[in-house]
Amino acid sequence: MDLDISRRKLIAAAPLAASLLASAPAFAAPAPRPRTVLSPEEVAERLRDPAIRARVQARVRGSCAAETVPVFYRLHIYGFLGDGNLVPFFTMNHLSVNEWRPLANNEYEARTFECGAYCKFGTDEPLEVWTNPVTGEQRKVWQFLGGPFTVTTGPDGIKASGAELTPKPAVMEAVGDTFFLNASADMAIPNPIPKDKYPKLWAGPMSYWDTMSSVMCTTADAFDDSLSQAPAVTQFQNMAAWHPWLGMGSHPGRTVGRAIGAKLASFDEIPAPARASLEKLTPQIFDREGWTKPRMDIPEYLRSLSG
């Protein structure tokens, strides 16, 4: 897929093309693509086939073909202190760029690059210094870069290589003509931050991460074998141990994130203010050819402390 082609430009040209076809008797308008209406029972029956299940997951989450699928999210991040209401921290404009390709044995691989530009909460205003509302301390923001890592979807489930989290497929179901593809992921590892050296950054002996996600599209698109990918919206919630750059130290609690987003036809579909924040704070995502080394967020932050 050519990421320089904007779906909006194609849509904008559609009325003109339609009028030209209508005025030319030598041409007939193409017949509308037939849509298959499936009941929830028929959906469940089809998903019993492991090969169909893998293909539907790939089509909905990304693509069954060799093409690049960007996904843009707005992730609002709060602090939960163990009691009371959530405390707004900041918003992250998150972009993942997924290079999909089909493999043998009904498997589909996605090579993923991702980034997150931190912004003032609820805005696209780039955030490079953040005032922690809990401690009152000003902290230099550590922008997020991750990948590339690969995730392979197949009849036997999902396998990840180079990723900190491996998605675990949950319920796939149709409600009316909306198809829901759900997953979860979790992590519990020893905290890599040495407590004696960085007590302000150390948030306990273990680092935890939990994510629950859903991708949604029409049921007809999910099972349409003429489509390599289904247009879809997506959302997730996560709960994570304090990132060391926050400087929360031993304060009880974790961050809570809520994200909404969509698969894109091209980078041109990223809202302009959000794209400006990504180009300013995480420009590496737009130069994947120059992104030659794997990046992992917290290990890189730890190395930066001694650099």
Side-chain angles (χ1 to χ4, degrees):
M1 177 182 292
D2 185 350
L3 294 179
D4 292 325
I5 297 175
S6 168
R7 182 188 294 171
R8 289 197 182 95
K9 293 176 183 175
L10 295 176
I11 293 173
L16 175 60
S19 66
L20 290 174
L21 285 172
S23 63
F27 294 93
R33 183 159 56 91
R35 309 291 285 173
T36 301
V37 178
L38 298 174
S39 69
E41 294 75 19
E42 290 173 311
V43 167
E45 177 62 30
R46 292 194 182 194
L47 291 177
R48 290 190 181 96
D49 184 322
I52 293 177
R53 192 164 59 242
R55 186 164 63 252
V56 167
Q57 285 196 66
R59 180 181 296 120
V60 174
R61 197 181 303 281
S63 176
C64 302
E67 58 183 324
T68 298
V69 181
V71 183
F72 173 75
Y73 295 94
R74 287 196 196 278
L75 170 61
H76 303 296
I77 300 175
Y78 305 79
F80 176 62
L81 305 175
D83 192 16
N85 293 114
L86 300 176
V87 180
F89 274 12
F90 28 64
T91 289
M92 175 188 281
N93 287 327
H94 183 282
L95 179 65
S96 69
V97 183
N98 310 280
E99 298 172 348
W100 284 84
R101 64 180 184 129
L103 304 177
N105 302 318
N106 298 303
E107 292 188 323
Y108 306 88
E109 179 189 88
R111 184 170 181 256
T112 296
F113 300 77
E114 56 181 354
C115 72
Y118 285 98
C119 296
K120 184 178 178 181
F121 188 87
T123 77
D124 293 301
E125 181 182 331
L127 195 61
E128 297 182 81
V129 176
W130 173 67
T131 301
N132 186 320
V134 178
T135 66
E137 181 185 17
Q138 286 197 328
R139 303 288 302 175
K140 182 179 178 181
V141 177
W142 176 257
Q143 310 297 338
F144 171 65
L145 293 167
F149 56 85
T150 59
V151 177
T152 303
T153 300
D156 297 326
I158 295 178
K159 300 175 289 186
S161 175
E164 294 178 292
L165 298 170
T166 298
K168 302 172 184 176
V171 174
M172 290 187 283
E173 63 178 345
V175 180
D177 193 34
T178 302
F179 183 75
F180 293 85
L181 174 57
N182 303 306
S184 65
D186 59 75
M187 179 184 75
I189 62 172
N191 191 337
I193 301 294
K195 179 182 179 180
D196 54 345
K197 190 173 182 179
Y198 301 109
K200 188 184 290 187
L201 311 183
W202 186 82
M206 297 290 291
S207 289
Y208 297 100
W209 190 285
D210 293 274
T211 294
M212 292 76 68
S213 66
S214 295
V215 187
M216 293 148 281
C217 67
T218 68
T219 304
D221 283 348
F223 290 88
D224 187 342
D225 283 333
S226 72
L227 295 178
S228 62
Q229 63 160 301
V233 296
T234 184
Q235 65 82 38
F236 68 82
Q237 294 81 38
N238 61 34
M239 186 176 225
W242 303 124
H243 195 296
W245 80 258
L246 302 177
M248 291 294 287
S250 59
H251 280 279
R254 301 186 192 183
T255 55
V256 175
R258 176 180 180 270
I260 54 175
K263 293 165 63 176
L264 307 179
S266 76
F267 289 153
D268 288 346
E269 292 193 335
I270 303 170
R275 179 162 179 167
S277 72
L278 293 163
E279 290 175 341
K280 177 179 175 64
L281 301 175
T282 57
Q284 298 89 338
I285 198 68
F286 300 104
D287 179 26
R288 299 195 310 283
E289 289 185 3
W291 188 327
T292 58
K293 295 181 180 179
R295 310 192 71 148
M296 297 186 74
D297 185 46
I298 290 181
E300 278 206 18
Y301 179 72
L302 183 57
R303 286 193 293 271
S304 76
L305 299 176
S306 56

